[in-house]
């Protein structure tokens, strides 16, 4: 392989985190549906799919480098949140953790003078800016609708407009 064993291990750990992210967002999609918010449930279902794509992108990179993909157990996500705002706040704090993990892998790639992995990670570093921005937009919208059922209904409709990219 062209990448170190240590790097393969770090990327495998990230694959697990991306699948955990998928699982977390699917749990949020289910809770949103249970609470009657079909739009938010759609938003989180699309996010669930995106996270699986992230995991598969890392997996394809490992395989291109001749390293083995090794899956591990996923922790069980929560199944209930106070409200939509609490879900998106947790989504944002989760994405900040993901950003930090990706930066750690990038630090390792720099230390190892592993230019191929640095290039691969560039896409994820850009993607994390989007991930944090879209959760922040939803938080802003939900904070603006606090206390108004009509505004919350409209916010859910807006979240329902998110399409698979
Ligand atoms: Fe895979 Fe939400 O970052």
């Amino acid at each position: 392989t062209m990448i170190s064993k240590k790097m393969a291990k770090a990327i495998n750990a990230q694959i697990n985190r991306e699948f955990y992210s998928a699982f977390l967002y699917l749990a949020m999609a289910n809770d949103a549906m249970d609470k009657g918010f079909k739009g938010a449930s759609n938003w989180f279902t699309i996010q669930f799919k995106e996270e699986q794509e992230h995991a598969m992108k890392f997996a394809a990179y490992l395989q291109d480098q001749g390293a083995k993909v090794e899956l591990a157990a996923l922790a069980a996500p929560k199944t209930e949140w106070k409200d939509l705002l609490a879900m998106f706040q947790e989504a944002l704090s989760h994405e900040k953790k993901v950003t930090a993990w990706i930066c750690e892998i990038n630090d390792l790639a720099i230390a190892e003078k592993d230019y191929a992995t640095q290039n691969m990670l560039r896409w994820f570093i850009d993607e994390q800016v989007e991930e944090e921005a879209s959760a922040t937009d939803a938080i802003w919208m939900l904070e603006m609708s606090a206390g108004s059922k009509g505004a919350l209904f409209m916010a859910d409709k807006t979240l329902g407009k998110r399409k698979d990219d």
Side-chain angles (χ1 to χ4, degrees):
T1 66
M2 289 160 66
I3 58 170
S4 71
K5 275 202 159 61
K6 194 173 172 188
M7 181 57 78
K9 201 174 164 207
I11 294 173
N12 264 310
Q14 188 60 31
I15 290 171
N16 189 269
R17 293 170 188 143
E18 299 290 346
F19 278 125
Y20 174 77
S21 303
F23 213 25
L24 174 67
Y25 293 131
L26 184 59
M28 289 179 179
N30 292 334
D31 193 35
M33 188 59 89
D34 187 60
K35 287 173 161 59
F37 296 111
K38 285 191 179 176
S41 186
N42 165 73
W43 196 99
F44 285 117
T45 301
I46 291 171
Q47 195 59 35
F48 156 71
K49 292 180 197 163
E50 271 197 10
E51 297 300 349
Q52 292 174 83
E53 285 168 14
H54 295 170
M56 294 306 284
K57 219 175 165 86
F58 278 117
Y61 177 73
L62 272 189
Q63 289 166 336
D64 281 347
Q65 291 285 17
K68 189 176 178 189
V69 174
E70 291 175 324
L71 301 178
L74 297 174
K78 280 203 305 206
T79 56
E80 200 173 357
W81 285 263
K82 183 171 155 267
D83 51 24
L84 290 187
L85 180 59
M87 285 182 210
F88 281 100
Q89 282 167 335
E90 186 168 333
L92 178 60
S93 65
H94 181 71
E95 288 304 327
K96 286 184 174 170
K97 269 196 285 178
V98 173
T99 301
W101 282 320
I102 287 171
C103 290
E104 269 177 25
I105 302 171
N106 200 48
D107 287 342
L108 177 63
I110 291 166
E112 292 187 346
K113 298 190 192 309
D114 175 347
Y115 302 110
T117 300
Q118 289 175 50
N119 276 350
M120 180 277 292
L121 288 171
R122 194 164 300 214
W123 184 90
F124 283 97
I125 291 167
D126 290 342
E127 175 71 4
Q128 283 311 115
V129 175
E130 292 303 310
E131 295 281 80
E132 291 187 26
S134 61
T136 302
D137 286 350
I139 288 169
W140 182 82
M141 184 170 61
L142 290 163
E143 279 175 348
M144 293 293 285
S145 27
S148 159
K149 282 192 175 170
L152 185 58
F153 178 81
M154 290 312 292
D156 188 57
K157 274 229 173 302
T158 302
L159 293 167
K161 288 194 183 115
R162 183 176 179 186
K163 301 246 186 314
D164 285 293
D165 339 88

